[in-house]
Amino acid sequence: MKIVISLSCFLCILFACNEKKAVSKTDFVIADGQIPNITKDRIGNIHLVYGTGDSIMYTSFSDNGGTFAKPSLIAVLPNLFSFATRGPQIAVTSKGIVVTACTSKGNIYSYYLENKVWKPGARVNDADTVAKEGLMALSGDGENAIAVWLDIRNNNGKGQRIFGARSDDGGRSWQKNILVYASPDKTVCECCKPSVAMQGNNVYVMFRNWLGGARDLYVVQSSGSGASFGQAQKLGTGSWKLDGCPMDGGGLAISKNGEVQAIWKREASIYTATPGMPEKEIGEGKSCTIETVNNKNVYAWTENGKVVFIKPGGLKEVIGYGSLPVLKAINDKQVMCVWENSKQIHASVLEL
């Protein structure tokens, strides 16, 4: 029997096969788990934390070895938040690796690595059960680590504010919590994860605000390692009036020359901008993230169930199926992307 395939059908089949190859060529599974987060130390090793059930898990990637180590247990934390952008966070300081994790009761706990053994640090929030949403971020540089989160204290339980705390001893202890931002309309967006980035003494916190019914992204800066923060500044010129919460907080990075870079979702589109400058639309999707490599931006987000990666110059590549990607530069020519798919942690080493 002779089978006839039209040219259009042949091209569709060929495109589908090529797309499938592109998706799978560098995508590998690290372990079962959810909500991955990564950081890099001074010698170029990537450190990864994620959650599975009530377990906080850790692994690392060496550029020399080219593989992730076998995951190890940091701690079992009952009622661990590890879903819907709520998961363990990780940062590196000169004092070592710091991990924070939140429970559904609203407490944030910290852990630090000492002599290859994970140990519990102090609780981050100094008022009990105030991080009910479990939405937090962590960054570090030099001796300091800074954690920020959505907080309900002193607000009659009717809204969220942004609070933060600093550790100067690698997560063993945390200083008094400070108010980073309070919306004059009583609450910031209640279900969007904040972002934090630190370089030297400069700390930048990005969050989705709620002012006059608009769910726009704002950034606030500290020049004193997070001891206090200045006035919040809206990112971009557009606005998004929305009754509900988009559950999408965007991402934040600082380039080598100290320039702040932000990425976020507004309606169906992805935008990027530096504070004080108009935004630029770069695609459509959700769950976006940003990294800088040699003062050039790279991006990733989820689009129609696939994770896409955008190189400097705008070249777009589909790297896997899933959601919630996070980027970290390995060196000047490679970037690591990790993400979640079907309760598994995936990764890809991407060439620039």
Side-chain angles (χ1 to χ4, degrees):
M1 180 178 65
K2 185 176 181 180
I3 300 176
V4 178
I5 301 177
S6 69
L7 178 60
S8 60
C9 288
F10 173 76
L11 291 175
C12 287
I13 294 170
L14 180 62
F15 176 79
C17 291
N18 286 340
E19 184 178 46
K20 187 68 175 179
K21 284 181 65 179
V23 167
S24 61
K25 70 177 182 179
T26 59
D27 171 10
F28 58 94
V29 177
I30 298 172
D32 292 340
Q34 294 176 273
I35 317 297
N37 189 247
I38 53 176
T39 190
K40 184 177 72 171
D41 62 29
R42 292 186 179 273
I43 60 174
N45 296 320
I46 299 292
H47 302 273
L48 164 67
V49 68
Y50 60 94
T52 176
D54 287 338
S55 296
I56 307 167
M57 303 298 294
Y58 164 82
T59 183
S60 61
F61 176 92
S62 170
D63 191 17
N64 294 329
T67 59
F68 276 95
K70 181 180 179 181
S72 60
L73 178 69
I74 294 177
V76 175
L77 183 61
N79 303 306
L80 171 69
F81 263 131
S82 60
F83 62 90
T85 73
R86 298 161 172 88
Q89 305 291 292
I90 190 167
V92 172
T93 73
S94 59
K95 302 296 180 66
I97 304 171
V98 186
V99 166
T100 56
C102 190
T103 69
S104 59
K105 292 184 178 181
N107 287 317
I108 305 170
Y109 298 90
S110 65
Y111 304 87
Y112 62 94
L113 188 62
E114 184 176 74
N115 298 323
K116 299 182 179 181
V117 176
W118 285 100
K119 298 182 178 181
R123 195 180 74 182
V124 180
N125 52 298
D126 57 15
D128 193 40
T129 63
V130 291
K132 294 288 190 181
E133 282 294 335
L135 292 164
M136 59 173 183
L138 180 69
S139 185
D141 193 33
E143 294 185 348
N144 296 307
I146 181 83
V148 298
W149 63 92
L150 268 61
D151 193 296
I152 61 171
R153 78 183 74 185
N154 303 327
N155 212 21
N156 297 319
K158 295 182 180 180
Q160 302 284 346
R161 298 189 290 176
I162 308 295
F163 267 74
R166 183 179 63 177
S167 173
D168 59 9
D169 59 5
R172 293 159 178 80
S173 66
W174 294 83
Q175 297 180 10
K176 180 180 175 58
N177 296 178
I178 65 165
L179 176 66
V180 175
Y181 176 82
S183 170
D185 282 2
K186 298 183 179 180
T187 184
V188 298
C189 198
E190 310 99 314
C191 300
C192 287
K193 181 180 181 295
S195 300
V196 61
M198 186 174 195
Q199 187 181 88
N201 294 325
N202 291 313
V203 179
Y204 299 88
V205 178
M206 186 177 81
F207 57 94
R208 193 178 292 274
N209 212 343
W210 190 10
L211 288 175
R215 309 265 182 164
D216 300 322
L217 274 295
Y218 282 68
V219 65
V220 61
Q221 179 187 2
S222 168
S223 57
S225 301
S228 62
F229 286 84
Q231 295 295 312
Q233 179 180 6
K234 182 178 176 294
L235 288 167
T237 58
S239 192
W240 190 9
K241 293 282 187 176
L242 186 67
D243 290 335
C245 178
M247 298 182 69
D248 200 320
L252 194 64
I254 306 175
S255 66
K256 285 184 178 180
N257 61 12
E259 188 174 59
V260 181
Q261 309 289 329
I263 187 172
W264 70 93
K265 167 189 168 71
R266 186 170 72 226
E267 298 185 16
S269 298
I270 304 294
Y271 295 89
T272 184
T274 58
M277 298 296 293
E279 68 270 52
K280 176 184 177 183
E281 184 177 350
I282 58 174
E284 292 189 354
K286 59 183 181 180
S287 302
C288 47
T289 185
I290 186 173
E291 173 65 317
T292 64
V293 186
N294 282 337
N295 294 321
K296 294 181 180 180
N297 295 339
V298 293
Y299 315 98
W301 61 78
T302 303
E303 184 178 321
N304 298 321
K306 297 175 183 176
V307 177
V308 299
F309 174 63
I310 312 298
K311 296 182 180 182
L315 182 63
K316 179 178 175 182
E317 178 182 354
V318 177
I319 61 172
Y321 294 93
S323 61
L324 304 175
V326 184
L327 294 169
K328 185 60 64 173
I330 299 173
N331 50 50
D332 291 343
K333 297 181 180 180
Q334 293 177 312
V335 174
M336 172 71 70
C337 184
V338 297
W339 66 94
E340 174 189 322
N341 185 35
S342 300
K343 296 186 177 181
Q344 289 185 317
I345 306 300
H346 288 245
S348 183
V349 177
L350 303 162
E351 303 291 335
L352 299 181

